[in-house]
Amino acid sequence: MKLKIGIVGTNFISDTFCDAAGYVPEIELYAVYSRKKETGDAFARKHSVPHVYTDYDAFLGSGLDAVYVASPNFAHCSQTVKALESGKHVLCEKVMAMNEQEVRSMIDCAQKNNRILLEAMRPDFDPAFEIIEKTLPRIGKLRRASFEFCQYSSRYDNFRQGIVQNAFDPGIGNAAIMDIGVYCIHSLVRLFGMPKSIKVLSTKLENGFDGSGIVLMEYNDMIAETVYSKITVSVSPSVIQGEDGSLLIDYISKPEKLELRLRKGSRDTLDSGQIEKLSFTPAENNMVYELREFIKLIENSEVEHKYLQYSLDTIKVIDEARRQTGAAPASPYIFSP
């Protein structure tokens, strides 16, 4: 029996989701929710989705088993909680919510209603990260990690012309750290845990929008940094440095190339340095992996799974970063790893 899934939101990431669903036979694209009927109808025709709703309650009552939430960040919590309370499993786009309090309320609701909640954080499920974890011991004691994701937004040209679209509206939770930087932060805390402390620098646009930034994260024996931007393009890979070598990752959100560079005289290569391409076949659309994991968690009724802690740790770091840059709510917040 297929899982009937409804889609909230009709932007490009929902298009990517529908494409990935075509490779997961256990999923049936059943309905789409959009505030505008014409937008929902166009999306439904494009992806052969049979039902379109402009009323969220009617959407949830249409016979769905699960919901994919891909609305603006500020709406994630309320839409997810309502779906969970109606008995639906939820796959929620990153960043899971606006702050730690919202994420905790979503997790509590999922556990109370015995439903699966999963953040759609693609690197978590990509086989490339299994290779990364298995390869880390080869580079020796870890000393530094630099995860970089800088992607020039297609909507930035309009912003430069004075047209402010959702992608650059600070009022709806689309800050660059939450849209782009979250990939780097999430991957770091997933691999290395919570840092002892963080220090943040941010580039603000004319309307106060967080366009780019750096988050420095202190660990006991290493320093990590995330470099993110919606207004420039990366030319450097992400790197994990150990005392015996380094591991290079081309794209942190969708790895396609992994390279191991061992230091001359290291335990793996005593006489000369060594460069090794780590072999794997990247998926054309790596959202396939998160969908498969979502199905697996549902089949096994794993309401309390490890990915929830990764999401919670990530939002705690982001909350502190936003507090330091003046973007967080005015209420007091104390960073506590």
Side-chain angles (χ1 to χ4, degrees):
M1 185 174 179
K2 291 192 174 184
L3 185 81
K4 293 181 179 179
I5 194 162
I7 303 158
V8 179
T10 57
N11 58 21
F12 74 94
I13 198 64
S14 296
D15 291 329
T16 306
F17 173 87
C18 290
D19 175 70
Y23 296 93
V24 184
E26 298 91 343
I27 284 181
E28 176 184 350
L29 298 178
Y30 186 76
V32 59
Y33 166 76
S34 175
R35 291 176 299 168
K36 297 180 179 179
K37 189 174 188 305
E38 57 270 27
T39 305
D41 287 341
F43 184 88
R45 285 193 300 270
K46 182 177 181 180
H47 297 290
S48 300
V49 181
H51 305 290
V52 178
Y53 295 89
T54 56
D55 181 272
Y56 195 59
D57 288 329
F59 168 77
L60 293 176
S62 65
L64 297 173
D65 301 307
V67 173
Y68 169 61
V69 175
S71 53
N73 296 334
F74 76 90
H76 285 185
C77 181
S78 59
Q79 290 177 336
T80 293
V81 166
K82 199 163 192 177
L84 291 167
E85 289 178 340
S86 70
K88 317 305 176 190
H89 305 288
V90 177
L91 178 65
C92 182
E93 258 306 329
K94 57 80 191 164
V95 60
M96 188 180 278
M98 294 293 290
N99 53 52
E100 180 186 349
Q101 182 179 0
E102 287 191 350
V103 172
R104 286 190 182 278
S105 70
M106 293 159 73
I107 293 173
D108 290 345
C109 186
Q111 294 175 348
K112 178 181 177 181
N113 290 279
N114 197 35
R115 288 296 178 266
I116 301 301
L117 170 64
L118 182 66
E119 185 176 14
M121 177 55 65
R122 287 179 286 164
D124 263 350
F125 318 102
D126 196 304
F129 266 76
E130 293 182 20
I131 297 174
I132 291 169
E133 288 179 307
K134 291 178 181 178
T135 306
L136 284 179
R138 296 183 62 188
I139 65 174
K141 190 174 184 62
L142 301 180
R143 291 302 190 185
R144 183 173 182 267
S146 180
F147 283 9
E148 183 167 331
F149 189 9
C150 301
Q151 180 173 278
Y152 187 93
S153 171
S154 60
R155 297 170 179 83
Y156 188 49
D157 286 338
N158 282 341
F159 182 89
R160 294 168 72 177
Q161 298 300 317
I163 303 169
V164 180
Q165 297 171 279
N166 283 352
F168 286 91
D169 182 352
I172 63 174
N174 279 346
I177 193 171
M178 302 181 82
D179 187 24
I180 297 290
V182 62
Y183 285 109
C184 303
I185 293 170
H186 189 104
S187 298
L188 278 171
V189 299
R190 178 251 172 96
L191 288 171
F192 309 121
M194 287 292 284
K196 292 169 55 179
S197 65
I198 72 170
K199 175 66 178 176
V200 185
L201 299 172
S202 174
T203 302
K204 297 289 183 63
L205 303 183
E206 299 92 292
N207 65 342
F209 185 86
D210 165 45
S212 66
I214 298 173
V215 181
L216 296 174
M217 304 168 67
E218 179 190 11
Y219 291 86
N220 285 333
D221 297 315
M222 64 176 284
I223 296 294
E225 66 175 346
T226 67
V227 181
Y228 64 88
S229 176
K230 291 181 73 170
I231 57 177
T232 58
V233 178
S234 296
V235 295
S236 303
S238 294
V239 183
I240 305 172
Q241 297 179 9
E243 293 182 350
D244 293 334
S246 297
L247 181 58
L248 282 66
I249 309 161
D250 61 345
Y251 300 116
I252 202 68
S253 65
K254 186 179 180 294
E256 295 180 359
K257 295 179 182 178
L258 301 177
E259 184 176 288
L260 174 67
R261 296 186 181 183
L262 295 175
R263 174 182 58 79
K264 179 180 179 181
S266 69
R267 57 189 175 188
D268 272 17
T269 171
L270 297 177
D271 298 324
S272 62
Q274 176 182 328
I275 298 178
E276 179 182 337
K277 306 290 185 181
L278 301 180
S279 178
F280 73 102
T281 303
E284 184 174 340
N285 181 346
N286 70 344
M287 288 184 78
V288 168
Y289 301 123
E290 71 185 30
L291 281 171
R292 290 173 181 166
E293 186 66 18
F294 187 51
I295 293 292
K296 179 182 174 183
L297 291 171
I298 292 172
E299 290 177 343
N300 295 334
S301 299
E302 292 185 55
V303 174
E304 299 186 29
H305 52 80
K306 62 183 180 180
Y307 303 106
L308 294 175
Q309 189 62 51
Y310 301 155
S311 298
L312 189 56
D313 288 347
T314 299
I315 200 66
K316 288 171 70 175
V317 172
I318 289 176
D319 273 0
E320 172 61 11
R322 298 183 76 212
R323 186 194 68 79
Q324 289 188 23
T325 60
S331 56
Y333 184 90
I334 300 174
F335 182 60
S336 177

